[in-house]
Amino acid sequence: DEEEKKKSHSDGTDEKDNGNQTKAVSRIGNSNNPFLDIPHDPNAAVYKTGFLARKIHADMDGKKTPRGKRGWKTFYAVLKGTVLYLQKDEYKPEKALSEEDLKNAVSVHHALASKATDYEKKPNVLKLKTADWRVLLFQAQSQEEMQTWINKINCVAAVFSAPPFPAAIGSQKKFSRPLLPATTTKLSQDEQLKSHEAKLKQISTELAEHRSYPPDKKLKGKEVDDYKLKDHYLEFEKNRYEIYVGLLKEGVKELLSGGENDAPGLKKSHSSPSLNQESPVCAKVKRNVSERKDYRPETPSIKQKVT
C-alpha cells in the first residue's frame, strides 16, 4: 500500500508538470485498501454508452435500501473499463468527471447482470448485483438495448475480474464471503478461463456438501440464517461463474470489440450471407449477383405478407 501511495504522489506531480492530461489511475472510495476502491482509469476503453434509469434496490451486503432513496433517476451511462459511470450529461472524452459523477460510479468487477424477471412495474429492466452485494435496477430504452447492456457488463466482468482472495479466518463459525479485488486481472484469456472453471468446480462441490448437511429443523436463529446465507451465496456464485465460463468459451473479446449496438449473438452471424452481400469484395461479384437473382422472386411475396 505504501508503494502505491508513493506512486500516486509521484504521478500527481508529473501531471502538474506535463499539463492537464491524466495518466495515473486514481481510485474512487474512502478505503485505504487499493483492492476495495474502484480504479478510475481515464484511458480505459469505452464498451457501451447510452441512457439508463437507475433504481437502488439494495445497499452493501444486500441490506434493503431505505424507501426515500429508492426512486428512479435517469443518467447517461458509460461502461468504461470495469466501471459503469452514471453521468448527468452525455459522455465527452475530453471532459473531466465531476465529484457527483464519480460518487455514482459502479464497479462491475465480479458483478452479474441479468433480466429483472421479478420486477414487473417497468419494462426492459435489468438487475445488477455487484461484488459487495449491492443490487441496482436499470431500465433501458428497449429490450434489445437491455440485452446488450447485460452482455457487455457480464463480458467485462468475465474478462477483467481478478481471482478472489480467501475469506477472512476467525474463531467464530460465522460465514464470511471472500474478498473480491477491484483491480483488473493479470491473467491471459486462457488462464482466466481456467481460473473461472476451477472456481466453478470448487463452488459446485461446496454447494453440494453444504446442502448434504442441512441444519436441524429444531434449530432457530443465527445458525439457520447463516446456513441460508451461505446457500444463497454459493448458488449465486455458481450461476455467476457458469455465465463467465460460457462467455469466455464463446470468444467474449470479439463481442467487447464490436460496436455499441451489437445484438447478442452477432459474432455467430459474422459469416452469414447477408453480411457477405454488403461487404464490397470484388472477387465474389458474380456469385453475389446470382444470389440476388435467387432471392428476387421471394421479395414481392414477403412484402405482401408484411402489408
Side-chain angles (χ1 to χ4, degrees):
D1 294 351
E2 292 299 327
E3 289 180 3
E4 191 147 340
K5 286 180 182 178
K6 289 178 183 178
K7 287 181 182 178
S8 63
H9 286 309
S10 63
D11 290 338
T13 55
D14 292 339
E15 287 167 21
K16 290 179 182 178
D17 296 337
N18 298 333
N20 296 325
Q21 289 184 352
T22 306
K23 293 183 180 180
V25 179
S26 58
R27 298 188 179 278
I28 307 168
N30 301 320
S31 172
N32 292 324
N33 190 337
F35 297 109
L36 295 177
D37 293 340
I38 301 173
H40 170 56
D41 184 3
N43 301 317
V46 176
Y47 299 111
K48 175 86 178 131
T49 62
F51 287 99
L52 286 176
R54 182 207 67 186
K55 179 178 181 179
I56 303 175
H57 184 71
D59 295 331
M60 193 179 294
D61 295 326
K63 296 179 181 178
K64 199 157 189 178
T65 306
R67 188 174 294 274
K69 296 181 180 180
R70 292 188 217 162
W72 287 93
K73 290 183 180 180
T74 302
F75 295 94
Y76 190 80
V78 180
L79 182 59
K80 188 175 183 180
T82 57
V83 182
L84 179 63
Y85 295 97
L86 302 173
Q87 306 170 195
K88 286 188 175 181
D89 302 320
E90 288 194 23
Y91 172 69
K92 295 179 181 178
E94 68 280 359
K95 186 179 178 182
L97 295 173
S98 65
E99 289 186 11
E100 189 174 351
D101 290 338
L102 292 175
K103 286 181 181 178
N104 290 325
V106 181
S107 180
V108 300
H109 74 282
H110 299 279
L112 183 65
S114 59
K115 185 178 180 180
T117 54
D118 53 347
Y119 188 85
E120 299 178 351
K121 294 181 180 179
K122 289 178 179 288
N124 312 321
V125 176
L126 66 95
K127 178 171 67 175
L128 177 65
K129 190 167 184 176
T130 62
D132 56 3
W133 274 29
R134 286 189 295 161
V135 179
L136 301 100
L137 300 178
F138 292 100
Q139 184 187 24
Q141 295 178 330
S142 65
Q143 187 174 357
E144 184 180 3
E145 187 77 359
M146 176 199 70
Q147 190 60 51
T148 306
W149 275 109
I150 291 173
N151 289 343
K152 294 284 186 178
I153 291 172
N154 289 338
C155 287
V156 169
V159 172
F160 299 112
S161 295
F165 296 129
I169 299 173
S171 57
Q172 297 180 348
K173 293 182 179 180
K174 185 179 179 181
F175 166 72
S176 58
R177 304 194 308 273
L179 181 65
L180 303 174
T183 52
T184 54
T185 185
K186 295 180 180 179
L187 302 176
S188 65
Q189 187 171 352
D190 291 337
E191 292 172 336
Q192 184 80 335
L193 175 58
K194 291 178 182 178
S195 174
H196 289 335
E197 286 177 333
K199 197 66 185 174
L200 175 59
K201 186 178 180 181
Q202 175 195 336
I203 289 174
S204 300
T205 303
E206 287 184 22
L207 181 60
E209 291 178 355
H210 178 70
R211 289 179 174 175
S212 63
Y213 296 100
D216 192 346
K217 294 181 180 179
K218 296 179 181 178
L219 293 175
K220 293 181 180 180
K222 292 183 179 180
E223 291 186 14
V224 177
D225 292 340
D226 195 55
Y227 176 88
K228 290 180 179 179
L229 178 64
K230 187 175 182 179
D231 187 86
H232 175 71
Y233 162 77
L234 292 173
E235 180 68 31
F236 173 75
E237 289 295 280
K238 181 185 175 185
N239 184 34
R240 180 168 72 90
Y241 279 107
E242 282 176 346
I243 291 174
Y244 286 2
V245 168
L247 288 170
L248 286 175
K249 284 184 175 179
E250 289 177 7
V252 68
K253 284 196 173 181
E254 291 184 19
L255 198 150
L256 282 178
S257 62
E260 290 181 5
N261 297 321
D262 286 350
L266 183 60
K267 176 182 71 64
K268 294 181 180 179
S269 59
H270 182 69
S271 59
S272 61
S274 58
L275 289 176
N276 285 339
Q277 287 172 17
E278 294 174 0
S279 58
V281 181
C282 297
K284 295 185 178 180
V285 171
K286 293 182 179 180
R287 183 179 176 183
N288 288 342
V289 170
S290 64
E291 286 176 354
R292 280 198 291 265
K293 287 181 179 179
D294 293 338
Y295 290 136
R296 276 176 185 170
E298 296 177 7
T299 306
S301 59
I302 292 172
K303 289 184 177 179
Q304 288 173 7
K305 289 181 181 180
V306 173
T307 56

